[in-house]
Amino acid sequence: MKNIAEDFSPKMGRTVVPPQTGFTSDIQMDYSALLDRTRRNWYWFVLAVLLCLSLAWLHLRYTTPIYLAQTSMLIEEDNGGGQGGLSKQVITDQLGFSNTYVIDNEIYMLKSKYLMERVVDLLGLDISYVHRGSVRDIEIYQPESFALSPVDSLDMITTPATEYGSVEVRFDNANTFSLIRYEGDTTSVRYGKSFPIGSRNFKLTFLGETPSQSPEDIYQINVMNPTSLAQGYSGGLSVYQVERSGVVNLSFMDAIPEKARDILNALILVYEKQIVEQQSLTGGQTVKFIEERLDFVTEELYEVESNVASFKRSENMSVDLATQGANYLAQLNEADAQLSELQVRQELIEEIRRVLTEGDDNFEPLPLASEVISGMLADLIAEYNQTIFTRDQQLEAVTPSHPSMATFSEKLANLKRTILRSINSVLRETKERANKIEERIKPLEAQITRIPGNEQKLLQIMRQQEIKQNLFMFLLEKREEAALTVAAQIPNTRIIDRASSLPFPISPNKNMFYAFAFGLGLFIPGSFILLSTLLSKHLSTEKEITKSLPYPVIGRIIKTPVHHTVVVNKNTRSAVSEGFRLLRTNLGFMLPTQGSSVIMITSSVSGEGKSFIASNLAASLALTKKRVVVVGMDMRKPKLAEMVLNEKEKGTSVSGLSNYLIAKSSYEEVIKPTENERMFIIPSGPIPPNPAELLMENRMATLLDRLRQDFDIIILDAPPVGIVTDGLLMKDHIDICMFVTRIMVTPKKSTAYINELVEAGNMPRFSLVINGLDPKSTYGYGYGYYK
C-alpha cells in the first residue's frame, strides 16, 4: 500500500507524460494476453480440428489413390563378346557398327513420346474401361469378362480425320447389351456386332464369365487419341541416371499398379526393339552395297575363268608357274589384292558421297565399314545415322512442316557438310595409296613381258583371275560378316529389377494429409484470433491499455451482465462489488483528508461504463458513512437516472441539472435521494440544445460550491471527452479526473488525443479505471473469490 499511497499523494501534483507512440508500438501485442485468449477459446480449436479431420477423411475416402511402379536397367557402352574369336564387338568394329551410347541421349529417348506411343499401341491403352459409381468412378484395367476391339482396317496411327469418343454400356443378358450414348438414347446391341465410336467401328466380345447384369452397373468405354494419351503418360514417367553409372531407374505413377508395371515393362521392350532396329538399319545399308559389288565381281570372275580355260585349250599347253614366272605372279597377286581393297574402299566412299550429294533435303542412312572410315569421321557418320533414325521416328507422329523437323534438318545439314569435307580428305588419301601400289606393279609387269609369248599371255590371264578371286573372297567374307552382325543384333541393355509397385499408394499420403488437416484446424481459429487482435480498432487487453495510456490504474472492474444498475450495497460480496471496494480504497489515497472533493469521471467514447462506474463508486463511498452526490453532467445522452433512481422516481424526476442551469429549478429541487440514505443524485434533466454553454455559466460553479458545503464527495458523471468538450470545462473545479476505459470498447485512435489533453493539463490528477475485464483472468486480488 505504500507505493499506492505515494503514487496517489495529493502533494505530488505531477502529470505523467507518456512516451510517443507510432506505428511500431501500435503493432506490438501482449503475447500472454493472446495466449490467454487462445486458451479461453479452446472449444473453437477443437471444433475446427474435428471439422478439418472430417473433411480430410471424406477427401481420402473418395480420392483415387496413386501407386508407384519402379524398375531399373543397365545401358551398356561395351557389348564385347569376349576375348578373341568371332564376337559381336569384333564384327561391328570391322564393319563400323559402333555401339557407344551417351546415357543422357538414352534417357531422352526413353522419355520420348514416340516410344510411349508404341507402348500405348502394344498394351491397347487407348481404350479404357470405367465402372461408373455413385460417388467415384473406378477404371478397370484389362477386364477379364469383356473387351472392345476394332473391326475396321483403319491404321492405329492418329490422323487428322480420326475422331474419338466414348459410350456407356449395361450388360442385359447373355446375348445382348445396352449401348448408352447419352440420356434417352439407348440401343440394344448383340455381342460381336459392330457399332461406331467416333469415326471407327468396334465390337464388344466376351473373354470369360458373363459380366454383372445389374441395372446399376454401367461401364463407360473410352476410345482416346493415342498421341495425346502418350504425351500424358510421358509426363508421368520419371527416368534418371544412378550417379555416373550406366544404371537407369524408371518410375511411373498410376491409379492401377498393374498398369503402371505393364507400362514400364512394355517401355523397356519397345526401347530394346528400337535399339535393334537402329543397329540393323546401318548394317542393312552395308550389306546391300556389298551384295551389289559381289554380283558385279562374280560376273567378271566367271568371264576371266572362261578365258583361262579357252586359252589353254587353244594353245594345248600346261604351264608350270613354279618355274615360269611364279615369283612374279605371286608378287603381282599380293599387290593386286591390296589395290582391289583400296578400290572397294574408294567405291564405298564414292557411294557415301553420292548419297550425301543427291539433294539438300534427302537424308538417307550411310553405309559404314571400319576398315575404310574410323575415328572422328566414323563418329560423325554414326551420329548422322542416329539423327536420321530419330527424325524418322518423329515423322511418324508429326508432319514434315512441324517446327521440330526444322531443328533436325538443320542438324543433318551441318553434319552432311562436315562429313563431306572429311570424305574428300579420306578419298584423296585412298587415291594416293592406290597410285603407290600401281607404281609397285609396273616393274613386275615389265619382268613378265620377258617371258615367252604364250606363257606371258597365260600369266596375264591368270593374274586377272587371281585379282577377281581375291576381290570375290574379300567381298564374300565381308558380306557374311555383315549379314551375321545384322542377324545377331541384341539390345545394349540388361534389366536389373523387373517392374514392381509399392503395396501402398504414394498419393494421397494419409498421414501427411491428416497432419495437414490437424494443423489447418489449429491454424484457422488461431489466425482468426491473431488477426482480430492485430486488426482490432479497440484496446483488447489491460496491458495494451496501460501501454497506450501509461497512467496510474486505481481500479479494475470485471465484466458483468448487470451493468445498468447499482450492484454495490452493504450485503453484496460479489466480484464486481469487491472491485468497487478496491477502487474506493485506492481512491482514498488520492482524496484530501480535510474538506470535500470533486471527482470527474469521463471516458473517450460512449459505452465504456462511466455512468455505471460513477453510480457504483458513489454507492461504495456512501457505505463508508460519507455523504456523496452524483451529478449527471452528461446532458446529451443521460443514463445515470435510469441506473440510480427507482421506477417511481424516474417518472417524477422531471427536473435536473439542465433545469437548474437555466434557473427553472432550485438547488433543493434538483437533488434527489436514493435508496442509500447517504447517496444523492442530480439527474441530467431534459436534454438542452446547448449543454456546453450552460456548463460555462456561473450557476455551474455556484452549484459546485454549494455541493462542497453539503457533501463530502461530489462525483461528476461527465460526457466522453473524446466526443465533446463538456468535461474539459470543469478542469478548474475538480480535484481528481478518473478516466474509464473498457476492454474491446475504447478505441485505439483516441489514446493519442487523451494523452495530449493530459499533457496540456486539461485533466488534472489523471488516473485510469479499467472496465470489462474477463472474470476468468487473474487481475489483482479477489477476482472470482466472491460470488
Side-chain angles (χ1 to χ4, degrees):
M1 291 299 185
K2 181 180 179 181
N3 293 335
I4 297 177
E6 291 178 354
D7 289 342
F8 298 131
S9 174
K11 296 180 180 180
M12 295 179 65
R14 61 182 178 88
T15 299
V16 179
V17 179
Q20 296 296 323
T21 59
F23 178 77
T24 303
S25 60
D26 289 341
I27 64 174
Q28 293 179 354
M29 67 175 64
D30 184 359
Y31 292 101
S32 61
L34 180 64
L35 182 62
D36 181 71
R37 184 182 178 188
T38 302
R39 178 181 56 82
R40 287 185 280 107
N41 290 275
W42 62 268
Y43 48 88
W44 288 113
F45 288 89
V46 174
L47 290 176
V49 168
L50 292 177
L51 177 61
C52 290
L53 290 177
S54 301
L55 293 177
W57 181 85
L58 288 175
H59 177 78
L60 294 173
R61 173 67 177 81
Y62 297 108
T63 298
T64 302
I66 303 299
Y67 294 85
L68 176 67
Q70 296 176 314
T71 186
S72 59
M73 59 187 296
L74 174 64
I75 300 179
E76 298 176 328
E77 295 186 359
D78 184 8
N79 285 329
Q83 299 295 331
L86 183 62
S87 66
K88 180 177 183 293
Q89 183 64 40
V90 173
I91 296 174
T92 54
D93 284 346
Q94 291 183 356
L95 295 178
F97 305 138
S98 179
N99 278 329
T100 57
Y101 293 86
V102 180
I103 298 298
D104 291 341
N105 294 341
E106 301 309 306
I107 290 177
Y108 175 80
M109 181 57 66
L110 284 167
K111 297 179 68 174
S112 66
K113 187 174 66 175
Y114 166 75
L115 285 186
M116 191 58 70
E117 284 188 47
R118 297 181 66 174
V119 171
V120 171
D121 181 48
L122 180 63
L123 299 179
L125 299 178
D126 56 329
I127 300 177
S128 67
Y129 309 89
V130 179
H131 182 265
R132 301 299 299 270
S134 56
V135 178
R136 186 181 69 178
D137 298 338
I138 301 176
E139 181 181 356
I140 302 175
Y141 177 62
Q142 295 181 348
E144 299 179 355
S145 302
F146 60 93
L148 185 75
S149 57
V151 297
D152 51 26
S153 58
L154 181 64
D155 195 340
M156 290 299 292
I157 299 177
T158 58
T159 62
T162 305
E163 297 180 1
Y164 306 92
S166 63
V167 295
E168 293 182 350
V169 298
R170 182 179 59 243
F171 299 100
D172 300 329
N173 50 57
N175 298 318
T176 62
F177 64 92
S178 295
L179 184 65
I180 307 172
R181 296 191 179 275
Y182 49 85
E183 186 176 358
D185 184 6
T186 304
T187 306
S188 180
V189 182
R190 297 184 64 86
Y191 298 112
K193 184 178 180 181
S194 66
F195 57 90
I197 300 179
S199 59
R200 301 190 61 190
N201 293 322
F202 297 85
K203 65 178 180 179
L204 194 64
T205 56
F206 280 142
L207 300 178
E209 297 180 359
T210 304
S212 174
Q213 298 177 4
S214 173
E216 288 78 16
D217 287 336
I218 298 178
Y219 297 86
Q220 179 177 333
I221 302 177
N222 304 306
V223 179
M224 298 168 286
N225 187 333
T227 302
S228 302
L229 190 64
Q231 186 173 2
Y233 282 149
S234 297
L237 177 68
S238 176
V239 184
Y240 60 92
Q241 180 183 5
V242 178
E243 296 179 351
R244 296 184 179 180
S245 65
V247 178
V248 174
N249 287 342
L250 298 90
S251 60
F252 186 79
M253 295 182 294
D254 195 82
I256 304 176
E258 295 83 2
K259 183 169 73 172
R261 293 195 300 266
D262 289 348
I263 288 177
L264 289 180
N265 290 331
L267 179 63
I268 294 177
L269 181 64
V270 298
Y271 170 75
E272 292 176 345
K273 185 178 180 181
Q274 180 259 352
I275 291 295
V276 173
E277 292 174 354
Q278 176 186 352
Q279 293 175 346
S280 300
L281 180 62
T282 303
Q285 294 290 331
T286 304
V287 171
K288 179 181 177 181
F289 171 77
I290 293 177
E291 286 181 345
E292 292 177 355
R293 292 295 306 149
L294 192 58
D295 292 340
F296 180 73
V297 172
T298 301
E299 294 179 358
E300 291 183 337
L301 179 59
Y302 177 76
E303 182 180 355
V304 171
E305 290 177 345
S306 300
N307 292 337
V308 171
S310 300
F311 184 78
K312 287 181 178 181
R313 285 194 300 269
S314 63
E315 299 297 334
N316 193 21
M317 61 180 298
S318 174
V319 180
D320 183 4
L321 296 179
T323 58
Q324 299 182 19
N327 185 37
Y328 298 141
L329 185 59
Q331 296 181 45
L332 284 173
N333 288 339
E334 181 183 356
D336 289 336
Q338 296 177 1
L339 184 61
S340 297
E341 292 182 12
L342 289 176
Q343 290 174 347
V344 171
R345 295 172 185 174
Q346 183 175 345
E347 291 174 358
L348 178 59
I349 295 174
E350 292 287 355
E351 175 67 15
I352 294 174
R353 185 164 64 175
R354 182 192 64 78
V355 173
L356 290 174
T357 55
E358 278 186 351
D360 293 337
D361 298 330
N362 183 26
F363 302 113
E364 295 182 7
L366 302 176
L368 181 62
S370 61
E371 293 185 359
V372 177
I373 301 173
S374 61
M376 185 62 70
L377 181 57
D379 294 338
L380 289 173
I381 294 180
E383 183 180 359
Y384 183 82
N385 290 341
Q386 170 66 31
T387 306
I388 291 176
F389 186 78
T390 305
R391 175 179 178 273
D392 292 341
Q393 290 176 339
Q394 295 292 331
L395 283 174
E396 296 182 8
V398 300
T399 61
S401 59
H402 194 271
S404 62
M405 293 298 102
T407 303
F408 282 106
S409 299
E410 182 179 358
K411 182 177 180 180
L412 288 172
N414 293 333
L415 287 172
K416 181 185 290 188
R417 289 191 294 269
T418 305
I419 293 173
L420 280 174
R421 288 194 297 267
S422 300
I423 282 178
N424 291 331
S425 177
V426 174
L427 189 59
R428 287 194 301 269
E429 179 185 349
T430 303
K431 289 181 178 180
E432 290 177 359
R433 292 177 60 188
N435 292 334
K436 291 181 180 179
I437 294 176
E438 289 177 353
E439 293 294 331
R440 289 169 48 196
I441 291 175
K442 289 180 180 180
L444 295 175
E445 290 177 341
Q447 294 294 333
I448 292 177
T449 57
R450 299 175 184 174
I451 300 175
N454 290 338
E455 295 177 0
Q456 177 183 342
K457 292 180 180 180
L458 180 59
L459 287 175
Q460 290 176 349
I461 296 174
M462 294 184 68
R463 176 193 171 193
Q464 293 297 324
Q465 180 186 17
E466 193 71 24
I467 291 173
K468 301 303 180 183
Q469 285 180 345
N470 292 335
L471 183 57
F472 177 82
M473 294 304 297
F474 174 78
L475 292 175
L476 186 62
E477 179 185 0
K478 296 306 177 184
R479 186 191 67 175
E480 293 302 318
E481 290 177 354
L484 180 60
T485 301
V486 172
Q489 291 294 337
I490 60 173
N492 67 320
T493 60
R494 284 191 298 168
I495 297 178
I496 299 177
D497 293 318
R498 300 294 299 180
S500 61
S501 57
L502 298 177
F504 51 86
I506 63 168
S507 176
N509 189 320
K510 292 186 178 181
N511 294 334
M512 183 178 297
F513 211 84
Y514 280 127
F516 175 77
F518 182 81
L520 185 63
L522 297 177
F523 173 77
I524 291 176
S527 61
F528 178 79
I529 292 175
L530 177 62
L531 290 176
S532 63
T533 302
L534 288 175
L535 302 179
S536 176
K537 297 181 179 180
H538 304 93
L539 300 174
S540 57
T541 64
E542 178 184 352
K543 187 174 182 179
E544 194 173 3
I545 291 175
T546 56
K547 189 175 184 64
S548 301
L549 299 170
Y551 306 106
V553 178
I554 63 172
R556 298 176 175 85
I557 308 301
I558 68 172
K559 184 167 52 178
T560 176
V562 288
H563 55 274
H564 294 296
T565 60
V566 178
V567 297
V568 176
N569 56 64
K570 63 181 178 179
N571 297 321
T572 58
R573 303 294 292 175
S574 64
V576 178
S577 61
E578 287 302 313
F580 281 106
R581 289 185 175 92
L582 184 60
L583 172 61
R584 180 188 64 192
T585 301
N586 292 334
L587 184 62
F589 294 103
M590 301 180 64
L591 297 175
T593 57
Q594 301 294 329
S596 59
S597 302
V598 178
I599 303 171
M600 185 179 72
I601 299 179
T602 184
S603 63
S604 58
V605 294
S606 177
E608 292 178 289
K610 58 181 181 56
S611 298
F612 175 72
I613 300 293
S615 59
N616 281 277
L617 176 61
S620 178
L621 290 170
L623 293 177
T624 61
K625 302 184 182 303
K626 293 182 181 293
R627 287 175 56 84
V628 183
V629 61
V630 183
V631 181
M633 278 185 56
D634 191 351
M635 293 179 287
R636 302 173 187 269
K637 195 176 181 181
K639 295 180 181 179
L640 182 64
E642 296 179 0
M643 294 183 183
V644 178
L645 300 179
N646 55 36
E647 295 297 329
K648 182 178 180 180
E649 291 172 333
K650 291 178 185 177
T652 59
S653 71
V654 295
S655 61
L657 179 62
S658 60
N659 301 97
Y660 175 81
L661 294 178
I662 60 176
K664 287 189 177 182
S665 296
S666 64
Y667 173 78
E668 291 77 9
E669 291 176 340
V670 297
I671 297 179
K672 309 293 182 182
T674 65
E675 294 179 355
N676 192 322
E677 61 180 358
R678 294 182 178 277
M679 176 180 171
F680 298 85
I681 180 176
I682 298 179
S684 300
I687 300 176
N690 53 347
E693 286 76 5
L694 292 178
L695 293 175
M696 295 175 64
E697 298 291 340
N698 292 330
R699 287 184 65 84
M700 185 63 193
T702 303
L703 175 64
L704 291 176
D705 292 339
R706 183 77 180 272
L707 291 175
R708 283 180 181 271
Q709 298 174 7
D710 297 337
F711 295 93
D712 298 320
I713 298 176
I714 302 96
I715 297 178
L716 303 180
D717 181 16
V721 295
I723 299 177
V724 295
T725 61
D726 297 5
L728 302 179
L729 300 174
M730 298 292 103
K731 68 175 183 176
D732 296 330
H733 304 283
I734 63 176
D735 299 308
I736 299 174
C737 178
M738 291 176 54
F739 189 82
V740 178
T741 60
R742 187 172 182 178
I743 302 296
M744 298 305 297
V745 176
T746 302
K748 292 180 179 180
K749 63 181 180 180
S750 67
T751 58
Y753 174 66
I754 300 301
N755 288 326
E756 291 178 2
L757 293 178
V758 175
E759 292 179 23
N762 293 325
M763 290 187 288
R765 305 290 304 283
F766 188 83
S767 59
L768 296 178
V769 176
I770 301 177
N771 187 23
L773 291 172
D774 193 336
K776 297 181 181 179
S777 301
T778 55
Y779 291 98
Y781 171 78
Y783 285 3
Y785 187 79
Y786 298 102
K787 300 290 185 182

